Amino acid sequence: MKVTVDRGVCYGSAECAHRAPSVFAFEDGYGVVRPGRADSGDDPRVREAAEKCPSQAIVLAE
Ligand code: SF4
């Protein structure tokens, strides 16, 4: 499962970077997926980050 952050929706709470720091970083006021970690959508911490993202900006897709 792929994970991406929709920057147009993210409002920069940084919660994803705290919840799953090996996958998400916080850069320039936005949550981003770290390079090489786009295939981490099956990681339970990533799923939790997606569920708890306050703006629903984290997208999980096949
Ligand atoms: S948790 Fe959601 S709103 Fe907060 S930085 Fe991450 S993607 Fe953006």
Side-chain angles (χ1 to χ4, degrees):
M1 181 103 36
K2 303 270 189 201
V3 57
T4 55
V5 173
D6 183 343
R7 189 173 277 223
V9 177
C10 169
Y11 67 60
S13 70
E15 287 174 50
C16 54
H18 290 295
R19 251 179 241 289
S22 63
V23 175
F24 299 102
F26 191 65
E27 291 178 3
D28 301 327
Y30 297 97
V32 297
V33 177
R34 291 184 183 278
R37 301 309 306 267
D39 286 329
S40 301
D42 292 313
D43 183 326
R45 292 167 307 157
V46 171
R47 289 179 173 269
E48 185 183 4
E51 284 169 15
K52 301 213 166 146
C53 169
S55 61
Q56 298 291 292
I58 299 172
V59 180
L60 301 177
E62 294 296 340

